[in-house]
Amino acid sequence: AGPRKAVGRVCQRDRPMTDAAPDRADHTRPTRFRTGGLSPRKPTRFRYEPDAAARAALAAELGLLGLAHLRLEGEITPRSRDELVLTARLEAKVDQACVVTLVPVPARIDDTIRRRFVAELGTPQGDESEMPEDDTVEPMPEVIDLADIAAEALALALPEYPRAPGAELGQITQAPPGAAPIADEPERKPFAGLAGLAERLGKTAPDDPKDNG
């Protein structure tokens, strides 16, 4: 995967402990893991595949026209007492609005995700507030939330300027009856979802009593 854009760190949302197969709830797989309850010796494997309602909510949050499929599958591996490494594969099928005509533009996402969670990672102060060389490093959270990791990873992996075949800059966009056409603004759309996601991820929800451990 390429360099990560700064959209805010993963936080914990208030959601039930479910891992949903498409359009069908599955209560046998957790989606949130207390880091203190993970095995210190062997990897913890996971799969997160939200149902239609959760996909629709995420699509609205990211400004997508559709999110037909989303899967995050991987494992959390202990490196030491103070470090966990999450590696996963993200797969998605999305529909975005063309930045010129607003018609749906389909895209398939297949990305590799890696996060390093390190305990007692100091917060940079003053002149030390530069980005670390390894931008996968994050402070160890109390809870690792797969839904938030998937949402952030998807936002980072989306094409920035989706364009329908044959669409050219300067075209007048289509608009519903009674609405004024939107002038072409290629920078208007791509980061709107990231801004909304960053704002939402910045709000920590109450801890879920159904977390593992």
Side-chain angles (χ1 to χ4, degrees):
R4 296 170 61 197
K5 308 180 188 75
V7 296
R9 293 303 185 188
V10 173
C11 69
Q12 294 77 49
R13 300 184 190 178
D14 186 17
R15 63 166 64 80
M17 286 282 298
T18 62
D19 175 23
D23 304 328
R24 183 181 61 188
D26 177 0
H27 297 272
T28 64
R29 294 178 181 272
T31 64
R32 305 178 71 200
F33 296 90
R34 290 186 180 276
T35 53
L38 295 173
S39 171
R41 302 182 185 86
K42 61 182 182 179
T44 299
R45 294 179 174 82
F46 61 80
R47 185 179 74 229
Y48 172 67
E49 197 167 0
D51 61 14
R55 294 197 309 271
L58 181 55
E61 187 174 328
L62 296 181
L64 301 174
L65 300 181
L67 179 56
H69 171 70
L70 177 64
R71 176 187 295 166
L72 182 74
E73 187 167 6
E75 62 185 26
I76 304 170
T77 304
R79 283 287 184 86
S80 67
R81 289 183 56 188
D82 301 322
E83 181 177 347
L84 297 171
V85 177
L86 180 148
T87 54
R89 180 180 181 184
L90 177 75
E91 297 176 295
K93 295 179 182 178
V94 306
D95 286 314
Q96 297 174 276
C98 172
V99 296
V100 178
T101 65
L102 298 185
V103 300
V105 179
R108 298 176 68 95
I109 307 297
D110 191 341
D111 204 5
T112 300
I113 310 303
R114 186 175 188 270
R115 301 284 190 272
R116 288 178 59 207
F117 300 109
V118 179
E120 300 182 2
L121 182 65
T123 302
Q125 301 293 332
D127 295 338
E128 298 179 358
S129 59
E130 298 179 359
M131 292 294 291
E133 292 184 7
D134 184 354
D135 65 358
T136 67
V137 178
E138 303 180 14
M140 182 78 72
E142 291 186 9
V143 175
I144 295 175
D145 191 315
L146 301 181
D148 285 331
I149 290 177
E152 180 183 345
L154 178 60
L156 296 173
L158 290 172
E160 293 186 357
Y161 301 104
R163 189 181 301 181
E168 298 180 2
L169 294 178
Q171 271 184 250
I172 296 177
T173 58
Q174 301 297 318
I182 302 174
D184 177 45
E185 298 178 24
E187 64 280 333
R188 174 182 59 85
K189 194 69 179 177
F191 299 104
L194 294 180
L197 178 63
E199 181 180 354
R200 184 165 181 174
L201 291 182
K203 300 176 182 178
T204 303
D207 206 11
D208 194 326
K210 297 182 181 180
D211 292 338
N212 70 309

